[in-house]
Amino acid sequence: MLRRTLTAIALTLPLALAAAPVLAQSAPDPSMTAPADAEDPYLWLEEVEGERAMAWVEDQNTRSLGVLTGDPRYQDLHDQALAILEARDRIPSPGFRRLGGVERIDNFWQDADHVRGIWRTTTVDSYATDNPVWETVLDVDALSEAEGANWVYRGSNCLPPDGRMCLISLSDGGKDAVTVREFDRETRQFVEGGITLPESKGGVSWIDADTLLVSRDFGEGSLTDSGYPRTVRLMTRGQAIADAPVVFEGETTDVSVSGFTLRDADGVVQAVLLNRGINFYESETWQLNADGTTRQLQLPLKGGITALVDGQLIVTTDQDWTAPSGQEFKTGDVLAYDLAAWLADPTVQAQLVIRPGPREAIEGITATRNRLVVALFENVRGAVYVYDPSDWSRTRLDLPENVTVGVGSSSSLDDRLFVSVAGYLNPQSLWLVDAATGEGGVIKSLPAKFDAEGLEVRQFEAVSADGTRIPYFVVGRSDMPMDGSNPTLLYGYGGFQVSMLPGYSATVGKLWLERGGVYVVANTRGGGEFGPNWHQSAQGQNRQRAHEDFQAVALDLIERGITSQPHLGIMGGSQGGLFMGAMLTQRPDLINAAVIQVPLFDMLRFHKLLAGASWIAEYGNPDIAEEREWIAAYSPYQNLRAGQPYPEVFIHTSTKDDRVHPGHARKAAARLEELGYEVLFYENTDGGHAAGANLRETARRLALEYTYLTRRLMD
């Protein structure tokens, strides 16, 4: 997809007798709330590598790891998680990649022998067999050992159409910032004296073999307030990056700027484009002309270019939009322009391709050589439709129903593409289909990773505070007692238009469901389950709606007798960590456990920490009095109070997270302890925003989480 993807800071009766009373949450006592910035006694915990802060982290880790790893159940949970993560019977995620005119399948793979992973390749025919013959392109473990580094592979950008020369992104310990090096796929070596870009957030895109669009940290004044590049340079081979001319410049208040090329199926550049990210959701697209001048293209601020197929430019709009032609489009629409005609005259008519219904959402768009392929969900259940650009007629691929479908890598030589199919109890299967004919079928499928006998998936709806119906999925035993006794884990995210779709999680199944737990996923506002409006209805001053949606699901679970307060726990990370903090401070009477992962927590300072300023469009700006007021009303850090029925919580983060600042999690733990509450806190000193730089670290994190949940909800 060409459109800038949303990266989240970004893989539903009467109370049972066992239920605790459901209490109304009283208004905060100002004398008990966390202090404002100037009075905050824990600002020193925001010094990521500060000596005092790291000493505090070490003390917390020693204590919390002692408690959790000392539990007799920890080691078994760890071993089961590691076995799943290192299993070799996973489906290798395939990516079509041309090399010298021949199409191949690439994959990045991690297992017990390749903890950091290998980039490998095989033929299309070999991939379709039970035992593909793989050739290693790059061994990240060997590279890390040779260079004495902790490299985390962040992907490759290979120059079309032959795909021989690539730009490899490597992260130190999992940070978002990466070092970029030129790599020759044919020799499978880094190019001596080739293109090398120092560590930075930002991007790089090929125009041709000797010309690049580069957006990086170029020194003082070159970054936005969000810490991302503010300028794009046109760099030629052999040129020092400092000497590359600036071809585009944004404002310091923007999120970021970047450059990319619009290419047809043969890899031919149709336009050189520049993106100005005004905020997380609004952006401008500019064309870089051959003479170095630029012009802004007339596209919706919310939305943008999604694909190019058969000369047709595919555009989505996340707002009601009047095109230069005078045509009126609705939020969520997908439209098409004849690219050549549109570049010559922006007032040409667009063709409406898709207008989703009120309970529908587009979760993926891709293009094969001759077809547009769309994953369209209705009431959080997926289908894949193929559109013919000659008349925009559509057909539906013959895939299983009531599951999640994902459109994957597609061929540029023909109309084949990969489609993934999975459900909460359905292990993933991978289909290879011909979009033009509809022919194809399963080429790989996973064996079951946990015992699903007797389990079922149910979908319910809760009614939020304003009357909105909020769907949620419950995964548990079909014969579970409805007496409030079931240990239940409620997961939520609720932001950035990220949808919580049904998927198969081997670790949730093995470490929780198989042991008698119930798993619940809430499809609250703030997500994208019903399109852009579902998300936008909980942005900014309406953020509290998403928190109330999550609370409504918790209440509904209790009222149905599925669980009760002593057996209900919650889990979420990043924006979902904010979700957990809001539940903790607003309705602690509903829960007995909270796993708060790499969270946002101090929402009055989020915009001052790392990439935080880029999320102002989601939450509002704490520096504006009116907006600060609505943020302060739910900011977990400022609303922590003494004398509340907070359960012992488990908070974890990563020192190397350069997206969501670890200070959020640290300050949350410190403030809770100051108020007299029991807290378990763990900080991985590597791992980035995913809090796991390799499989062993991920296994430890999972074991810690489920040991904690067992202690709180099952004991």
Side-chain angles (χ1 to χ4, degrees), residues 285-509:
T285 302
W286 294 66
Q287 183 177 11
L288 178 63
N289 301 313
D291 62 1
T293 60
T294 60
R295 66 160 176 157
Q296 185 178 351
L297 301 179
Q298 299 303 305
L299 294 168
L301 286 178
K302 293 182 179 180
I305 297 170
T306 306
L308 176 64
V309 55
D310 197 28
Q312 299 291 307
L313 185 73
I314 308 304
V315 174
T316 59
T317 177
D318 289 352
Q319 64 184 77
D320 291 350
W321 180 61
T322 302
S325 63
Q327 294 170 280
E328 301 283 347
F329 294 99
K330 299 295 185 183
T331 300
D333 283 353
V334 178
L335 50 139
Y337 282 108
D338 179 284
L339 176 62
W342 179 70
L343 288 176
D345 178 9
T347 66
V348 299
Q349 293 278 306
Q351 174 72 47
L352 178 64
V353 180
I354 309 171
R355 175 163 288 167
R359 301 293 278 186
E360 291 183 332
I362 294 170
E363 293 290 350
I365 295 179
T366 193
T368 62
R369 188 174 185 86
N370 305 295
R371 295 291 188 271
L372 183 71
V373 185
V374 178
L376 185 65
F377 279 63
E378 182 175 8
N379 205 31
V380 207
R381 291 177 166 88
V384 174
Y385 290 93
V386 176
Y387 293 79
D388 184 341
S390 66
D391 58 4
W392 296 118
S393 59
R394 79 175 188 178
T395 57
R396 178 171 174 159
L397 291 182
D398 186 14
L399 298 169
E401 298 183 357
N402 298 321
V403 293
T404 289
V405 294
V407 289
S409 182
S410 59
S411 171
S412 60
L413 294 179
D414 54 35
D415 294 303
R416 291 172 300 165
L417 82 154
F418 291 104
V419 177
S420 63
V421 176
Y424 288 117
L425 302 179
N426 305 98
Q428 182 188 6
S429 61
L430 185 69
W431 296 58
L432 180 59
V433 299
D434 187 315
T437 66
E439 296 176 354
V442 176
I443 63 165
K444 295 191 183 297
S445 59
L446 282 177
K449 294 292 186 176
F450 60 90
D451 184 2
E453 182 69 29
L455 297 177
E456 72 172 359
V457 180
R458 284 170 274 191
Q459 188 180 34
F460 298 110
E461 287 188 342
V463 179
S464 194
D466 65 357
T468 302
R469 303 192 71 83
I470 309 302
Y472 67 94
F473 289 99
V474 174
V475 189
R477 301 200 63 81
S478 58
D479 60 353
M480 72 172 76
M482 304 298 278
D483 61 359
S485 64
N486 301 294
T488 300
L489 177 59
L490 170 59
Y491 187 88
Y493 185 79
F496 295 93
Q497 205 172 322
V498 174
S499 302
M500 296 291 100
L501 305 175
Y504 189 83
S505 172
T507 51
V508 169

Side-chain angles (χ1 to χ4, degrees), residues 135-148:
E135 301 172 35
T136 297
V137 179
L138 177 64
D139 186 329
V140 182
D141 293 86
L143 178 68
S144 295
E145 183 177 356
E147 299 185 349

Side-chain angles (χ1 to χ4, degrees), residues 103-143:
E103 202 157 51
R104 298 182 66 84
I105 298 296
D106 281 10
N107 166 254
F108 185 72
W109 182 258
Q110 293 174 290
D111 59 25
D113 298 324
H114 308 96
V115 176
R116 290 181 172 85
I118 54 172
W119 172 19
R120 59 187 189 171
T121 187
T122 189
T123 66
V124 178
D125 289 341
S126 180
Y127 180 79
T129 67
D130 291 337
N131 296 292
V133 178
W134 293 101
E135 301 172 35
T136 297
V137 179
L138 177 64
D139 186 329
V140 182
D141 293 86
L143 178 68

